[in-house]
Structure formats: structure tokens, C-alpha cells
Amino acid sequence: MESKEESVLESKEHDVSDDEIIEDEEGIFADEEEDNTVYTVNVTPITLPTTTIIQTPGGSEFFAPIVDPRMLPVKGNIYGTLENCEAFYKEYASHAGFDVRKSCQKTTRSGWIKQKYYLCSRQGTPKNVSLDTLETKEKQIRKSTHECTGCRARIRFDWIFDTESYRVGLFEPHHNHEMLRQEYRHLSRTERQLKYAEQIFVYNAHLANIGPTKAHQLYSNMKGSYQNVNGTVDDFRNWKRDLHVFINESDSQMLVNKMEERREYIPGFSFEYILDDSQLHSLFWADEVARVNYEEFSDIMSFDATY
């Protein structure tokens, strides 16, 4: 004879049909009709910590970057030539979130570098920029977005005698400032240095009468995001300015060379120029179209209304 509890359980057992509501593991209900509504959920991405905060008994805080152990400099390790050592430490700094600058060095009597220091770019004493120019004759110190905090993070490479290799003689990983966050590291001084590809693009855009601002937008779209571009709009502008300054003293010679090249390879093209104290005074050129126009209309005066 079945017990009373077993009879009650059997009475509750039944087959679940497709028309009934089913509850899944997360407690979300769905009926027999498929819901095609798309729901958007705003989820805040989890930012992994990039530094370890160390607090001293005196209340000071120091920040130790968290990087791949394979990229962490180790005292006593040998990293080859001084150029390889510098590249290794800059690669470590790029992943850690700070910039590097060169510092003092010691050399032998023959001029060989036996010790070389590389520091965090925030090493040094902050400069005072609050000068009253009405009461002092000192020049106003130019403000900068780069802040010096007296950071003591550094590394020293020691020369191994009778070789071309260097080893780590001193390594201080602790900083007194926070590291750059991952989304802002493309704005560091190192990452803002224009590479050859960006320089060529700005130059070619200039030849096509495209300004540096528009050139930066186009290059960012080609790269997929502005974070994939070395340099900001201001860096593109500054490089174009430096390019103009570079060719400032040789622009006349560039024009003469261009015209002489055309005279050599283009039939019917003539070109002459006059110098005054080694400076370009005047020049004249004419192509086949200009010659035909002169035959038909004699002297012609034309105006360029572009500007």
C-alpha cells in the first residue's frame, strides 16, 4: 500500500506542455511566442587595477605598476647593448603608464659610457609659474601640461667590462603619482611622437590642399579610431609648421629645381630666372598653352582669384 506522501507526489506530477510558462535558471519567463524585442543594457566595464598602492607610516602613497613579469626589469639581468636596454625600459614604461627621459651618465677616460640613468619624466621640482611681470623683470615661465612631482622612479644600467653589454645595477619601480589609464595612454609624450607614416600623410594631405585638422580626422577614420593614431590635431599642426620652417630657406631653390625639371622633360616649356645677391629676384616661364595664347591674343594679363 502506497504511503500518503507518495500518492500526493504522484497527483502533482504532470507533463509540462509547450503552452505553459517555463522559468529558466535566471528567473526570466518566456511563453510559447518568441519575443523578438531587443533590449539594451548599459554595463559599466570592469577596469582592472594597473597599480599597487603602497602607504607608508608617514601617510605618503606610492604606486607600483602592475605589468607582465616578463617585462619587469630585474636587478642583475643583462639586456645587451645600451640601445637595447633603453628600448626595453621604454617598452616597460609604455605598458606601465609613464614616460621616460634620459638623465646623467658616467664615462670612462676613453669616452665609453659605463653608467646610464633613465628617469620617470615627472622627476624634478615643480616650477613656479605665478610670477607678477609688473613687479619683476624676470621672464614669465611658460605653463605646461607636464607636471613634475619629484618622482624617484629610475633605472641604472652598468657597463660590463670588456664587452658591449649592460646589466641593471639599480631599479626603483615605485612612483609618487598615479599611472596613466589605459584609455589615455595614447596621449602620452611617447605615443604622441609622429611616426613616418603620419608625417607622410600630413605632407601628402598638404599637397592636396587638405589642412592638418581634416588630415587628422581622415587618418583617424582610416585607422579605426583616434586612439590608434600617433599624435593629436595639435601635433599634426605643429609638424606642418615645422615642415614649413624647414623648407623656408630652401623654397626658392626647390622652385628653380622644379622648373628646370619641367624644362627638361616637357616639350615647349621654357624657364628663366634672375638672381640678385644670391637671392631669387624674378622668374619667367611659359608652356605650349601660353605660347598659343600669345599668338592669338598677344599680351595677356590674368588674375588669380583663389585668395
Side-chain angles (χ1 to χ4, degrees), residues 252 255-256 259 271-275 280-285:
S252 298
L255 175 60
V256 172
M259 290 299 182
F271 165 69
E272 299 294 339
Y273 64 95
I274 301 175
L275 299 179
L280 182 63
H281 180 269
S282 58
L283 54 86
F284 171 83
W285 74 90

Side-chain angles (χ1 to χ4, degrees), residues 142-161:
R142 183 178 180 181
K143 293 184 178 181
S144 174
T145 56
H146 182 71
E147 180 183 2
C148 294
T149 61
C151 183
R152 302 289 295 177
R154 64 185 62 200
I155 194 172
R156 188 191 74 215
F157 293 102
D158 297 338
W159 173 51
I160 302 176
F161 180 73

Side-chain angles (χ1 to χ4, degrees), residues 36-280:
N36 295 325
T37 305
V38 178
Y39 298 94
T40 304
V41 180
N42 295 326
V43 179
T44 302
I46 300 176
T47 304
L48 297 177
T50 58
T51 57
T52 300
I53 302 177
I54 303 174
Q55 294 185 348
T56 63
S60 302
E61 287 186 348
F62 292 92
F63 303 85
I66 300 176
V67 297
D68 190 336
R70 295 173 297 180
M71 304 191 63
L72 190 66
V74 178
K75 184 177 180 180
N77 281 11
I78 301 174
Y79 296 101
T81 62
L82 189 59
E83 291 76 12
N84 294 339
C85 294
E86 179 181 345
F88 171 78
Y89 189 63
K90 286 184 177 180
E91 184 71 14
Y92 159 77
S94 176
H95 286 78
F98 69 95
D99 287 328
V100 178
R101 65 180 178 87
K102 297 179 181 180
S103 184
C104 58
Q105 63 186 21
K106 292 183 180 180
T107 60
T108 61
R109 292 183 178 181
S110 60
W112 188 267
I113 300 175
K114 63 179 182 179
Q115 281 187 349
K116 182 69 177 181
Y117 284 85
Y118 295 92
L119 312 178
C120 173
S121 61
R122 294 198 177 186
Q123 190 273 344
T125 305
K127 297 180 180 180
N128 184 17
V129 296
S130 58
L131 293 179
D132 189 352
T133 56
L134 298 178
E135 298 180 359
T136 180
K137 295 182 179 180
E138 297 182 11
K139 293 183 178 180
Q140 180 78 25
I141 301 176
R142 183 178 180 181
K143 293 184 178 181
S144 174
T145 56
H146 182 71
E147 180 183 2
C148 294
T149 61
C151 183
R152 302 289 295 177
R154 64 185 62 200
I155 194 172
R156 188 191 74 215
F157 293 102
D158 297 338
W159 173 51
I160 302 176
F161 180 73
D162 206 19
T163 65
E164 296 183 356
S165 300
Y166 290 79
R167 66 161 57 96
V168 178
L170 172 68
F171 175 56
E172 175 55 55
H174 299 147
H175 300 253
N176 64 351
H177 58 87
E178 295 185 2
M179 304 292 101
L180 284 174
R181 295 169 57 181
Q182 185 67 36
E183 57 267 28
Y184 298 132
R185 289 183 183 176
H186 68 284
L187 299 176
S188 64
R189 283 190 172 186
T190 302
E191 295 297 330
R192 287 181 60 177
Q193 299 296 324
L194 297 189
K195 293 182 172 54
Y196 182 73
E198 284 85 5
Q199 295 176 0
I200 289 296
F201 187 83
V202 175
Y203 174 72
N204 292 333
H206 170 66
L207 296 180
N209 201 22
I210 299 176
T213 302
K214 192 65 176 180
H216 186 271
Q217 296 177 357
L218 293 174
Y219 200 72
S220 300
N221 293 334
M222 292 171 56
K223 288 290 186 177
S225 172
Y226 66 91
Q227 295 183 353
N228 301 328
V229 179
N230 293 96
T232 61
V233 176
D234 291 338
D235 297 319
F236 275 48
R237 292 174 180 172
N238 293 339
W239 192 86
K240 182 182 177 182
R241 176 205 61 197
D242 296 340
L243 177 64
H244 288 170
V245 172
F246 176 75
I247 66 175
N248 184 35
E249 298 181 356
S250 59
D251 54 352
S252 298
Q253 186 62 45
M254 293 172 59
L255 175 60
V256 172
N257 295 342
K258 187 69 174 179
M259 290 299 182
E260 289 182 345
E261 182 181 356
R262 289 193 174 187
R263 181 172 58 183
E264 181 179 359
Y265 293 103
I266 298 179
F269 185 88
S270 60
F271 165 69
E272 299 294 339
Y273 64 95
I274 301 175
L275 299 179
D276 185 10
D277 292 336
S278 300
Q279 293 185 356
L280 182 63

